[in-house]
Amino acid sequence: MIFGKDIDPKDISTSLVERQNLTLRQDNNRISRKTIGFSKKISELDKQMTLYFAHFNFCRGHLSLISLDCLGRKRKNSPAKTCGLTDHDWSLRELLTYPYHRISTS
């Protein structure tokens, strides 16, 4: 991340953000361009996006996050595991049955 007044424009790159946006659009029919799978209600889109990001960060193994298991085999890791938020990649069942509590943000 780059902050401040005296920043050389050559140091700024948006390629990582654009790659993330492309992955999001390709995986998610509700926000793809020119599709009939769009969300009619913002609340439904919000719920679907919450599920997508939870799956993306807790369940899905990423090629850029590879480690070796105890047998020396390459294993893709989720961002949550890599950051130390969990000790394993979650299954979809584990994600959908995890007890959570809504909190007010206001």
Side-chain angles (χ1 to χ4, degrees):
M1 298 174 77
I2 301 174
F3 296 97
K5 295 180 182 179
D6 300 324
I7 297 174
D8 185 1
K10 295 176 188 172
D11 293 337
I12 299 172
S13 174
T14 60
S15 61
L16 294 174
V17 174
E18 292 301 327
R19 177 65 236 178
Q20 181 71 25
N21 290 340
L22 177 61
T23 300
L24 178 65
R25 280 196 313 273
Q26 287 177 331
D27 289 349
N28 194 333
N29 195 31
R30 289 183 185 242
I31 59 172
S32 296
R33 294 183 179 141
K34 297 182 181 179
T35 180
I36 62 171
F38 65 92
S39 292
K40 295 178 184 171
K41 296 181 180 177
I42 194 75
S43 62
E44 298 302 317
L45 177 63
D46 183 54
K47 291 174 188 175
Q48 195 274 332
M49 295 300 289
T50 299
L51 179 60
Y52 172 79
F53 284 118
H55 179 267
F56 186 87
N57 289 309
F58 283 86
C59 302
R60 185 172 169 177
H62 295 258
L63 284 172
S64 61
L65 303 174
I66 294 179
S67 66
L68 298 177
D69 64 10
C70 59
L71 300 174
R73 296 177 297 200
K74 290 182 180 179
R75 177 173 170 77
K76 295 186 281 186
N77 292 315
S78 66
K81 182 179 176 187
T82 303
C83 290
L85 297 175
T86 182
D87 61 349
H88 64 285
D89 293 340
W90 290 12
S91 66
L92 186 56
R93 177 183 296 274
E94 190 174 6
L95 176 66
L96 294 175
T97 59
Y98 184 81
Y100 73 96
H101 305 282
R102 284 189 165 267
I103 58 172
S104 175
T105 57
S106 58

